[in-house]
Amino acid sequence: VDLESPEEIEEEIPVVICAAAGRMGAAVAAISSIYSNTEADVLFYIVGLKTTIPHIRKWIENSKLKEIKFKVVEFNPMVLKGKIRQDASRPELLQPLNFVRFYLPLLIQKHEKVIYLDDDVIVQGDIQELYNTKLAPGHAAAFSDDCDLPSTHEMVRSVGMQNTYMGFLDYRKPVVRDLGISPSTCSFNPGVIVANMTEWKHQRITKQLEKWMQRNVEENLYSSTLGGGVATSPMLIVFHGKYSSINPIWHIRHLGWSPDARYSDQFLQEAKLLHWNGRYKPWDYPSVHTDLWENWFIPDPSGKFKLTRPDS
């Protein structure tokens, strides 16, 4: 038996998840899946806007999640003023909470290592394993590479699936070309991040990300019409060649890419983390593999959040 040193077992695992208006059920399912599948000491940082915080707090305190350890953190969207280009094509990608991952050290004080998760994930493995991801010296974060996506037989490849930098950055712009990043470089998905706060602060990652947000407002360097969305592109630039890898089984994504592209059931059973990135969310209809998500969903005691189902 591999006996870990007691310190390792006792370490508190901070997990950051956003609770956005209209998608609170997503955060609840994600939290419930993590909590149910680990013995580790998890501290949830639940980030919301002033208006949504009372709702999520009530949901947790009046459900079986009342046992979890959590802190509710208010995110002030004023920090984003002048840094986001209004883009009509996918307004949901401009939600202020999409940018919470840029500001991790501001939200979290005492932890060295932090996990950030998008709300549209569920965790089927032990979060301790993800937390144990090794970050190379000098790396502020670890992500899963998009070229690690399961091969064709696991999933029907959807048209236009983004897995290179070309899908996110506008290579017609000299500023983008001057970065010297080949357009065929594998992208990564920042919906699952293991981050080192010391390195993050040391390298002033937040400042760098803000610089690229600002440049985009001025020069439109990446467009959310390129399936990528506005929160991914600055990260692709800032972390290029400077990140560690998360085991791909800890980030099976694109479950929300199309309403009928399916993975094999056996493959999904073995996956440690499932991510419904894309438009087709498991609390909405149509979407795929909703049963796996609904396993962890806890109905809203206040009745405000309801699942959209074909028979509802």
Side-chain angles (χ1 to χ4, degrees), residues 150-156 252 255 261-271 274 289 292:
S151 56
T152 348
H153 70 271
E154 294 296 4
M155 185 185 187
V156 188
I252 301 303
L255 274 78
R262 300 183 68 88
Y263 284 103
S264 81
D265 289 333
Q266 191 203 343
F267 174 70
L268 290 183
Q269 245 119 48
E270 289 161 16
L274 305 176
H289 302 299
L292 290 170

Side-chain angles (χ1 to χ4, degrees), residues 13 38 125-133 247 249-250 272:
I13 300 180
T38 189
D126 182 346
I127 197 83
Q128 180 80 51
E129 269 178 49
L130 180 60
Y131 186 74
N132 292 346
T133 300
N247 180 338
I249 202 80
W250 268 100
K272 308 280 191 172

